[in-house]
Amino acid sequence: MKRLLIILVMMGYLQNLVIAEEPQETLTGNSTLNNTTNGTRPRTLLPESIECYYSCGLLSFSADSEMSNIVVSVTNNDNCSTLLYNIADIDCVICVNLEPGCYTICCECEGSLYEGVLLI
């Protein structure tokens, strides 16, 4: 009986510890990356823009058409540091923890360059 009482008291104590934690801030942002390729546009079915989303450490993209072999650069505009990623297609997600701030996102695919600013 004494052990049961101790276990119940400990469970109540642990439950209060979990409840007392403050919720963590969820950082999110979204941006439209526009085609900024100089000169003539390639004769492929590439979209005019790419939508970029950041939430909970995941950077994702969407476009009207399929895209593959994409090079993504994420540049922090505050300290000019750049992270480079290669993704197989537009549906791939990049795991990256970004601090609050302003970022320039560039995607290069089949000779076309898409750029935009992401505010988190």
Side-chain angles (χ1 to χ4, degrees), residues 18-103:
V18 172
I19 293 173
E21 271 186 35
E22 292 183 24
Q24 294 182 353
E25 179 182 349
T26 303
L27 301 176
T28 61
N30 62 343
S31 178
T32 300
L33 311 181
N34 294 305
N35 191 332
T36 59
T37 306
N38 293 331
T40 59
R41 293 190 52 204
R43 294 182 180 200
T44 60
L45 298 175
L46 293 175
E48 292 291 321
S49 64
I50 298 173
E51 293 300 317
C52 174
Y53 308 95
Y54 179 78
S55 180
C56 302
L58 299 175
L59 187 63
S60 60
F61 304 93
S62 68
D64 292 336
S65 63
E66 289 295 319
M67 299 173 70
S68 59
N69 299 323
I70 305 165
V71 177
V72 179
S73 69
V74 179
T75 303
N76 185 332
N77 293 344
D78 296 331
N79 61 18
C80 297
S81 63
T82 300
L83 303 169
L84 291 175
Y85 301 93
N86 291 313
I87 57 176
D89 59 45
I90 197 71
D91 296 322
C92 292
V93 176
I94 298 172
C95 295
V96 58
N97 287 319
L98 300 177
E99 299 293 324
C102 182
Y103 295 86

Side-chain angles (χ1 to χ4, degrees), residues 4-14:
L4 181 60
L5 182 60
I6 291 173
I7 291 172
L8 290 175
V9 169
M10 291 301 288
M11 286 177 54
Y13 177 74
L14 291 176

